[in-house]
Amino acid sequence: MLKNRIIPCLDVKNGRVVKGINFVDLKDAGDPVEQASIYDKGGADEICFLDITASNENRNTIIDVVNKTAEKCFVPLTVGGGIRTIENIRDLLLAGADKVSINTAAVKDINFIKEAAQKFGTQCMVVAVDAKKVSDGKWEIFTHGGREKTGIDAVEFSKKAEAYGAGEILLTSIDKDGTKTGYDLELLNIITNSISVPVIASGGAGNLEHLYDAIKTGGASAVLAASIFHYGEFTIKETKEYLKSKNVPVRL
Amino acid sequence: MLLTVVDYGVGNLRSIAKSIEKANFDNNLNYLVKVSSDVNDVKKSDKIVLPGQGSFKACKKGIDNIKGLQQELNESIIVKKKPIYGICAGMQLFATTGHEEEKTKGLNWIPGEVIKLDVTSSKLKIPHMGWNELKVENNSKVFEDGMNNNHAYFIHSYEFIPENKKAISITTNYGKDVIAAVSLGNIFGSQFHPEKSQSTGLKILTNFLKI
């Protein structure tokens, strides 16, 4: 039976982790390679790096991080943040990333997904959908960290992304992100029922029950979380044991 | 000893090379792992790994684009019987025919067809993506009984169905039994990614190195 995936996400800025893991045995809390390695050993099903480097000059630092991570981690690695060109994707995949997560570039021109999927395969194309509720039962896509409104309907966009070659949708609720009050289950539900590719739930995880709800009620294939893992509130193993006790299929 | 990971323009070759290097190092073996598109490296190799990503058609085109590669692969695998491991679409290429995008001739080392994964009867997502359990059907030098119930990482929408059912080493359940690994003589391959399957994957690669 296919297992639901638990994906810790690390925010990386200029080659350093911003929201670091609060573990005692860390030599360097800012080193993404070391943190990814801990998650790999701890049983994470995939690892995600979100590159929030502001300037283009520092883009190569994430390549270096991915390069080093590929030597130590033997689970799939997804990298997102600032990917604009086919060249950006190629560089990351050659460095050892398995998937890339595309956000703004896909919203600007969905043909970018098509072109990239034809070159590299749909299996490595994750389209990141950042959605915000605008009225009852209606969500819109926002870009630039939730600051810019696009007027694009989140459900329609997700369907289009699938049709253009997204292998997976990384769905973040802007309303819920950082609140630790749980994922937006209504949004998750509507998207998972509208498309046939897997959906990764993101934004709002504050406890283990939230992860359970995203999978059971929201229909998510995978759950992504940052802070609940980083600050040592829960280990990946505890998370999986909890989910298993509630009959969610997980890899233990 | 030389192991060549064939670079024909597809796949995450660095992850594959790194995982083989780790299996090599951890077991005190003496392989040099080379990622190469040079037909001469394939010729000199003791073992070959054939990666694959994207469609069957695109992968076959990648092989065809390197002059003399298919002939050398045939010589190495069929005549000289060098061990080969195909990963994902690289394994699918062992088939007679692929049906992704359009009907495409494969390498025909393990007669069979590559067809769209048929799970329409249930509410399962396509691609089949993530960690799934292995069920050993016929053990081989690479895929052994001890791997029963281990997890491996899958990401695919097409499935290789070999004519000879004895060639099926491992299946996994996704709405039905889906073929996960094959072995036929010196030819081995898996639909899942050993380089992304942690300890199980490293064990499989170690077994392949130790043949």
Side-chain angles (χ1 to χ4, degrees), chain A residues 97-112:
Chain A
D98 298 286
K99 306 179 195 178
V100 287
S101 168
I102 317 277
N103 180 244
T104 308
V107 176
K108 272 191 183 154
D109 179 14
I110 195 72
N111 285 305
F112 178 60

Side-chain angles (χ1 to χ4, degrees), chain B residues 127-154:
Chain B
H128 171 218
M129 183 191 289
W131 296 82
N132 209 335
E133 269 160 78
L134 307 180
K135 186 174 146 210
V136 179
E137 304 284 351
N138 295 293
N139 67 0
S140 70
K141 286 174 187 159
V142 174
F143 307 108
E144 47 186 62
D145 287 335
M147 288 164 187
N148 252 325
N149 301 324
N150 283 11
H151 287 90
Y153 187 81
F154 290 83

Side-chain angles (χ1 to χ4, degrees), chain A residues 155-201:
Chain A
V155 178
E156 291 312 311
F157 180 75
S158 301
K159 284 185 191 166
K160 205 168 175 185
E162 178 183 18
Y164 277 67
E168 216 171 2
I169 298 289
L170 169 57
L171 179 64
T172 304
S173 158
I174 295 169
D175 305 301
K176 289 287 194 168
D177 201 25
T179 64
K180 303 193 101 188
T181 57
Y183 299 92
D184 185 339
L185 299 178
E186 200 190 350
L187 168 67
L188 257 176
N189 227 309
I190 193 165
I191 302 277
T192 53
N193 282 317
S194 305
I195 58 175
S196 69
V197 295
V199 174
I200 307 165

